[in-house]
Amino acid sequence: MQLNGCRSFRSMLGSPDLSLANNAYLGIPSRRWDANAWKRQSSSAEQLPVLMSLFGGEMSLLRSPLQPPSPGFSFDLTERNAVLGRLLEGSPPPRPVKTGTTISGMVFRDGVVLGADTRATSGDIVADKMCAKIHRISANMYCCGAGTAADTQKTTDLLASNLALFSLNSQRAPRVLMAASILQDTLYRYGGQIGAHLILGGVDYSGNHLYTVGPYGSVNKLPFVSMGSGSMAALGILEDRYKPDMEVEEAKVLVRDSVQAGIMGDLGSGSNVDLCVITARTVDYIRPYQESQYTNGRDRKYKYPRGTTALLSEKVVPLRVELVTEAVQRMETH
Amino acid sequence: MAAAATMMFGQEQMVSSNNDMAPDWTSKEVSTGTTIMAVEYDGGVVVGADSRTTTGAYIANRVTDKLTPIHDRIFCCRSGSAADTQAIADMVTYQLGFHSIELDELPKVETAANLFKASCYRYREELTAGIIVAGWDKRRGGQVYSVPIGGMCVRQQVSIGGSGSSYIYGFMDANYKPGMTKEQCMELVTNAVSLAMERDGSSGGVVRLAAISESGVERRVVLGGQLPKFFTN
């Protein structure tokens, strides 16, 4: 991507300039992440400081602690990944935790029902059997997230805190449309690099609303939706049985059935079904609504009673703290 | 068929590798592979579009509304990347709304078209957006401006866009005549978009129409069963 002195479209919207960050680092073309970038060679002389920084924590990766971090994405950790790759030598690198997922939602007479499975996968392993994919945005809004687990969690957290601040500042409950717009703006600015496929549902004074937001920042407002790897299975159920203005129990069953279709038909989805029923008056977060029929219970108890480990001796050394100075600073309180 | 300039690619890559269990289309950008159309008549314009939004081979939204109001009497038809066109349309809506308040009158359609052109041309390397701006203003009546990928801006009496438009250039050339009434334009647009939907895999769903004139905006939807039927080979 050319720079030519003119900033990119996304940075004009006030944001990290991805093309700058990308071009500066190894000339990777903008918006294209090379999965093999971590394999690139770096000299052995660089290994030691990078290795030390591994143990020294993330801050030490900055060129100097006095220098403010540059805006935009930082690809510093790819050096660390390259070193780790050589250490692991041959075995594949750890992959980001993705929620191969089935999430769905629908609008019914009195509000919105959201549903999700609870499996989080890391490659072929189930990383979390009881992952919570329905995130609270505000009292009247919840958001299901599919895609990269870290991205959905952070994006929804950020949205929740911004909306809470807005609520406090304006003395108003936020509208679902506002949340969808904020999500859209944020995700668009990062050009698809944030792998968050979201279903946002809620009830506000203007009615019951359901939106999907894609990782590139596209928004669709629909009466029923599904996202994630199991979305096609779920959508089949919804397309077949959805009717406008359904009653709450029927809607819950329909959403459960749609998520169940994803659990059975998609390898990336499984375990339990969580539901969240949002109406103007109440929110019913049912976790789990349905438990997996395929888990076997634990064979033994892993809790050890007090006294299992024998106490042989005890020595108490009091830490003597010397009071050097004491200063009182008054706080201005009105 | 990736030859036409108006075809959308949307083959963006993401962090996830293709070995994942997730289907291919989760890593593709959402595109409105589309058919959009706008026609001028004496007293206003008629705009029309299909309703399909795709991510790769999957239809993310089968009832999309690609006819986006920019101002009271100005609409835009969006084709290309869904995210890019939504972002541009939001920006232009803001800019035009601000301008109209300052002016204290309805903005010109030409102004809206220039605002689209300004963004689409300046950021042409990063955007995938093919837009048709259409509306009514009191100085020049109904106008249609085409702002395709690349960011040029040209006024036309009839304009088609999107991946499905390739299939209806002949139909449009043969059937459009200047001096048609509003109903004739509605019928022309319905027929044209239906024909394109029949042939283009990236277009489908329902046909959305809007007629914009001095008196207001009349919106219509032609549902699947009511679409005009043509000879199916």
Side-chain angles (χ1 to χ4, degrees):
Chain A
M1 291 288 164
Q2 48 81 32
L3 296 175
N4 280 356
C6 71
R7 292 156 71 221
S8 73
F9 185 66
R10 290 195 179 83
S11 66
M12 184 193 71
L13 301 175
S15 74
D17 190 343
L18 276 187
S19 55
L20 264 172
N22 269 316
N23 279 331
Y25 190 81
L26 295 178
I28 298 172
S30 178
R31 294 203 273 149
R32 177 182 277 266
W33 178 248
D34 183 354
N36 291 324
W38 61 273
K39 281 192 185 139
R40 288 209 181 86
Q41 298 300 315
S42 67
S43 72
S44 54
E46 291 170 17
Q47 274 192 42
L48 190 57
V50 177
L51 272 173
M52 283 179 66
S53 70
L54 271 177
F55 301 106
E58 225 177 312
M59 280 309 288
S60 52
L61 278 174
L62 291 175
R63 303 285 167 259
S64 141
L66 299 174
Q67 195 186 18
S70 52
F73 270 149
S74 162
F75 289 97
D76 295 340
L77 288 175
T78 50
E79 287 176 48
R80 177 207 71 172
N81 291 347
V83 172
L84 271 180
R86 269 192 303 280
L87 287 176
L88 295 173
E89 199 72 326
S91 47
R95 301 233 229 106
V97 173
K98 288 194 63 197
T99 51
T101 285
T102 308
I103 49 175
S104 66
M106 60 172 276
V107 175
F108 69 100
R109 158 165 301 153
D110 306 317
V112 170
V113 181
L114 300 172
D117 73 306
T118 61
R119 174 179 290 182
T121 50
S122 183
D124 297 334
I125 313 285
V126 175
D128 190 351
K129 291 182 284 191
M130 193 52 175
C131 169
K133 300 184 189 179
I134 308 182
H135 312 281
R136 179 187 185 277
I137 305 296
S138 73
N140 58 330
M141 274 191 262
Y142 280 70
C143 185
C144 308
T148 311
D151 290 344
T152 59
Q153 284 169 12
K154 252 343 210 201
T155 309
T156 48
D157 279 353
L158 227 56
L159 174 67
S161 23
N162 284 334
L163 281 182
L165 285 171
F166 164 80
S167 268
L168 290 167
N169 273 320
S170 64
Q171 296 287 305
R172 278 175 170 70
R175 289 172 63 169
V176 190
L177 174 64
M178 178 178 184
S181 297
I182 294 176
L183 282 174
Q184 175 174 44
D185 286 348
T186 315
L187 293 174
Y188 182 71
R189 267 187 282 126
Y190 285 88
Q193 299 287 340
I194 298 184
H197 303 65
L198 305 169
I199 293 181
L200 173 73
V203 177
D204 59 34
Y205 80 91
S206 62
N208 316 322
H209 306 286
L210 190 62
Y211 292 86
T212 63
V213 187
Y216 286 87
S218 56
V219 169
N220 289 310
K221 185 177 195 308
L222 292 159
F224 59 91
V225 294
S226 72
M227 297 285 263
S229 53
S231 69
M232 284 185 282
L235 204 58
I237 303 290
L238 288 168
E239 287 278 18
D240 187 33
R241 285 158 47 189
Y242 173 82
K243 294 184 304 293
D245 291 331
M246 284 169 81
E247 292 300 330
V248 60
E249 286 309 318
E250 207 186 340
K252 280 159 72 173
V253 167
L254 179 54
V255 172
R256 180 226 84 97
D257 286 349
S258 70
V259 178
Q260 181 70 16
I263 287 172
M264 299 305 272
D266 172 42
L267 295 178
S269 308
S271 299
N272 310 331
V273 179
D274 287 350
L275 277 194
C276 184
V277 184
I278 310 168
T279 60
R281 297 255 170 75
T282 56
V283 170
D284 206 2
Y285 191 113
I286 314 167
R287 177 171 150 81
Y289 178 74
Q290 172 194 275
E291 288 205 320
S292 164
Q293 305 111 311
Y294 300 98
T295 42
N296 34 352
R298 289 237 158 85
D299 288 339
R300 276 169 216 194
K301 287 202 178 314
Y302 294 99
K303 229 175 155 51
Y304 296 95
R306 256 180 200 282
T308 304
T309 309
L311 182 62
L312 297 179
S313 68
E314 191 177 323
K315 178 178 178 187
V316 177
V317 178
L319 284 174
R320 253 182 299 124
V321 175
E322 207 178 294
L323 182 62
V324 178
T325 56
E326 189 175 333
V328 176
Q329 187 168 46
R330 281 204 176 282
M331 225 172 62
E332 285 282 323
T333 49
H334 298 276
Chain B
M1 299 212 34
T6 47
M7 273 300 273
M8 307 315 147
F9 54 83
Q11 302 283 322
E12 315 281 1
Q13 276 195 309
M14 286 185 63
V15 179
S16 51
S17 83
N18 286 335
N19 289 332
D20 279 345
M21 287 179 285
D24 209 29
W25 50 262
T26 54
S27 56
K28 297 242 169 45
E29 180 164 1
V30 176
S31 135
T32 51
T34 283
T35 311
I36 50 176
M37 182 164 173
V39 182
E40 284 177 21
Y41 69 92
D42 184 22
V45 292
V46 172
V47 291
D50 74 305
S51 70
R52 183 172 288 184
T53 317
T54 50
T55 15
Y58 177 66
I59 299 173
N61 188 352
R62 59 180 171 83
V63 287
T64 326
D65 186 7
K66 303 179 191 178
L67 308 174
T68 308
I70 301 295
H71 205 268
D72 293 346
R73 297 287 184 275
I74 306 177
F75 267 62
C76 80
C77 312
R78 300 181 290 110
S79 72
S81 153
D84 286 347
T85 52
Q86 285 175 4
I88 299 169
D90 285 347
M91 255 177 38
V92 173
T93 306
Y94 162 75
Q95 292 169 328
L96 198 64
F98 193 87
H99 166 73
S100 170
I101 287 172
E102 283 187 320
L103 225 55
D104 198 22
E105 61 180 48
L106 286 174
K108 295 198 289 182
V109 186
E110 190 186 351
T111 312
N114 280 331
L115 286 170
F116 272 106
K117 188 250 305 263
S119 293
C120 291
Y121 180 69
R122 179 167 241 242
Y123 300 103
R124 55 184 300 168
E125 305 297 333
E126 289 128 82
L127 294 173
T128 312
I131 293 175
I132 300 179
V133 187
W136 176 92
D137 64 38
K138 66 174 191 250
R139 285 170 220 259
R140 294 200 190 132
Q143 298 146 73
V144 171
Y145 293 85
S146 181
V147 183
I149 295 183
M152 84 162 185
C153 178
V154 69
R155 181 178 173 188
Q156 295 176 303
Q157 285 172 304
V158 193
S159 185
I160 54 179
S163 55
S165 66
S166 325
Y167 306 101
I168 50 173
Y169 275 100
F171 178 81
M172 184 194 84
D173 289 338
N175 290 78
Y176 174 75
K177 290 153 193 50
M180 299 203 297
T181 65
K182 182 183 89 165
E183 281 308 319
Q184 286 173 325
C185 287
M186 289 276 221
E187 199 187 321
L188 174 70
V189 172
T190 310
N191 287 340
V193 176
S194 302
L195 283 167
M197 278 160 47
E198 192 71 22
R199 285 290 180 176
D200 178 30
S202 310
S203 302
V206 303
V207 176
R208 292 197 187 271
L209 298 156
I212 309 155
S213 62
E214 180 176 6
S215 53
V217 175
E218 183 201 333
R219 298 207 65 156
R220 274 189 216 169
V221 182
V222 183
L223 297 177
Q226 300 150 8
L227 289 172
K229 293 182 184 20
F230 298 96
F231 173 67
T232 44
N233 217 337

